[in-house]
Structure formats: C-alpha cells, structure tokens
Amino acid sequence: MRSTIKLIKQQYPDLGLEADAAQTHWDAVFKVCEDNLDVRLTEKFGDKWVTARPTILQQGQAARKILQDNMTEDLARSVIRETHLRGTTLADSPVRMLLLASHPDFMKQPEEEIQRGFVTPFSTQGHQKANGVKLNLKVPMSWKAAEGDRPHIVQKWTSDAGHGADIIMVQIGPVSAALTDQPKEVLFTEDFAREYFGQAKLKISDFKTMKLEARTVGWVKLDGVLERLDTKIETSGITCYFLSGENLVAIHLSCFAKEGSGTSESGRKKMEPLFKSVLNSVVLTGGR
C-alpha cells in the first residue's frame, strides 16, 4: 500500500496531501499490526514463513507494476479513498480481520477492540434458526463468523481471525424443550443451569442472576473436559441466558485448551471483559 501511495504522489503531485493523510490514517492503527503479524507468522511457521516471504513480496511488486502501468487520476483518487476507509472502523475484510487480530493492544486486552469501535454488527432478524427472536449485538471485527452447525446455534464467532481457541455462540430454542413441563420460575436457578448447560460434563464454578435490558438473565461459569474420539479438550466458559417470548436465548463464551494445561481458565479470565462488552451491545425488540 505504501508503494502505491508513493506512486500516486509521484504521478499526481496535486494529490500528495490527500495521499499522505490517508496513509497516516492507516498507519495510526495498522502499522503496529503489520509489524506484529510478521513476528507472529515467523514464530508460528519459522523457516517456512521466512522462505515464503520473498515470494509474496515479489508477487506484490508484480501487482504494483500492473497498477503503475494502468494508473489514472480517477484510480488514484479511488485508492486514496479506499486507504482512508480501511483506516476507519467502517470497512471490513479478511486482511483487516487478520491485522486486527495481531494488534498488540487487542491481544493483551481483547475488549479494547470493541471499545475502539472495531466491531461487526449481527442481527438474528429473518434467520431461519432464530424462531422469530429479534436480537442485535456487536462482536469484535477480528473474530471470524460462521453459521452454527448444531440445530439451535444461530451463529458463532472464533477469535484470532478464525484461528483462535475462543468461541462466542448465540443459541435460540423453544423454552418448552428446556423446561420439560416445569414452571418458568425454575429457569433462573443453579439446578436448572447445571442440568441444562452442564449436562453432567461440565461443573458450575459460579452462578448468579442479573439484569440485561430490564430482563432477568442467568450468568453461569462452566469448567470441564470434553472428549471427542481419543482427544480430550479442557474448556472454561460463560453462558448468559434469558427469555424472549417463548424462546430461551443463550449467549456462550467458550475457551479451549489442551487437557491439563490449565490455560482455558486463564483464557476465560482474559476474555470475560470482552464478553461483557458483547453482552452490553445486545438489543432485543419484542418478545418480552
């Protein structure tokens, strides 16, 4: 991008100030991300990344040569606008997602990403799994979204541009299926939370009720070990659940790690402020 901005300044000096401003705007947020991404790739892939980097740079140089040969003033202005837009909280792209995931501040304090406005809005309105529930929330822009693969999981997001060990999910299902002929009053009890969310595999380490948008919500911390085939995974999570009409809505945070590592709980502690920021963005319409 910097070489493209430099090219624009050379070919169209009158656009120099606009080009510099756009680049400065980008660098204010993403320069540190670019530098840290290179460090992370080197740490993860070692010599493979060191070997691949020159080839990627050569491909970039070839693309810039094509751009140089076809540069027009209109295209130059378009590049400046796009560079400026990418430096705001408005644009979204896989590359930007990866860069934000490598921001040192956001890696240390994940909630900072939301507080600085780098969010992706989500709405359940019209979703076939939402049962008519109209819920809006905001998640960090660096978390990759995917459709839920289980019947009542409407949407899920994975940290670190889809490569992380942390997941947020939205679950919606008929409350009748959860209660099995019990009165609704039992919903916000520890016994219900243990049976419904723990399902004998996870232990409750904390349970309480609170208010979200004037609704009573259950707040549950769960810990345990999950097993698939011959693999055991340590998990620590938080579930916040509430009623919307005749539906039970649950928003889950799950942090995973290798069994015995003890890092899933520390992951939950790190992600809890971010999870609270996601919950604070929740807006429900109808279905009280």
Side-chain angles (χ1 to χ4, degrees):
M1 183 178 293
R2 288 177 185 80
S3 59
T4 304
I5 291 294
K6 183 178 180 181
L7 172 65
I8 289 172
K9 290 166 62 179
Q10 290 173 345
Q11 293 193 8
Y12 303 99
D14 290 347
L15 299 179
L17 288 177
E18 293 179 53
D20 283 339
Q23 186 64 65
T24 299
H25 197 59
W26 168 270
D27 286 346
V29 175
F30 293 103
K31 179 64 169 66
V32 66
C33 301
E34 293 172 353
D35 296 340
N36 200 44
L37 177 59
D38 185 66
V39 172
R40 294 182 70 201
L41 289 171
T42 302
E43 289 175 348
K44 185 170 185 176
F45 298 106
D47 292 341
K48 291 182 179 179
W49 170 246
V50 174
T51 302
R53 189 195 292 127
T55 301
I56 294 173
L57 291 174
Q58 288 175 2
Q59 292 172 345
Q61 290 170 355
R64 285 191 290 273
K65 181 62 169 62
I66 294 173
L67 184 63
Q68 179 178 355
D69 293 342
N70 294 275
M71 181 62 72
T72 64
E73 185 171 348
D74 285 344
L75 179 57
R77 292 184 182 278
S78 177
V79 169
I80 291 171
R81 284 194 299 270
E82 184 67 20
T83 302
H84 189 277
L85 179 62
R86 288 178 179 177
T88 69
T89 60
L90 300 176
D92 196 4
S93 74
V95 172
R96 189 174 145 106
M97 181 187 297
L98 192 61
L99 287 171
L100 286 170
S102 298
H103 196 298
D105 291 350
F106 304 161
M107 292 176 69
K108 291 178 183 177
Q109 294 181 292
E111 69 275 14
E112 279 288 312
E113 185 174 350
I114 292 180
Q115 290 170 6
R116 296 192 196 180
F118 292 101
V119 296
T120 301
F122 172 75
S123 175
T124 64
Q125 186 165 358
H127 197 288
Q128 60 181 1
K129 293 183 180 181
N131 288 350
V133 173
K134 297 177 182 178
L135 178 148
N136 297 280
L137 54 72
K138 296 175 182 178
V139 296
M141 197 175 280
S142 67
W143 289 51
K144 186 175 182 179
E147 287 286 325
D149 49 6
R150 286 183 285 170
H152 298 300
I153 302 299
V154 179
Q155 188 84 345
K156 62 182 180 180
W157 298 265
T158 305
S159 62
D160 199 5
H163 303 287
D166 315 294
I167 294 175
I168 291 175
M169 296 187 295
V170 174
Q171 176 184 354
I172 300 175
V175 69
S176 57
L179 287 173
T180 57
D181 298 326
Q182 295 172 295
K184 288 184 179 180
E185 286 75 20
V186 307
L187 280 172
F188 302 103
T189 64
E190 187 171 342
D191 286 342
F192 169 81
R194 181 182 294 107
E195 182 178 347
Y196 189 71
F197 295 111
Q199 297 180 351
K201 299 177 182 178
L202 303 176
K203 296 180 180 179
I204 291 181
S205 59
D206 182 37
F207 174 84
K208 58 187 175 184
T209 58
M210 57 184 74
K211 293 291 183 179
L212 178 69
E213 285 228 315
R215 298 168 189 256
T216 299
V217 303
W219 174 271
V220 193
K221 288 187 177 180
L222 301 155
D223 302 275
V225 175
L226 302 176
E227 186 172 356
R228 286 192 175 183
L229 298 177
D230 59 348
T231 302
K232 292 184 177 180
I233 303 172
E234 182 180 292
T235 179
S236 293
I238 304 172
T239 291
C240 177
Y241 67 96
F242 48 89
L243 282 173
S244 178
E246 294 302 313
N247 290 285
L248 183 64
V249 180
I251 303 175
H252 306 277
L253 167 69
S254 299
C255 303
F256 300 99
K258 291 182 179 179
E259 184 193 17
S261 67
T263 56
S264 65
E265 186 176 357
S266 61
R268 179 178 64 193
K269 289 179 180 178
K270 183 178 181 180
M271 290 296 174
E272 185 170 341
L274 177 145
F275 187 56
K276 288 180 177 178
S277 293
V278 171
L279 295 177
N280 281 328
S281 74
V282 168
V283 176
L284 282 155
T285 56
R288 297 203 62 81

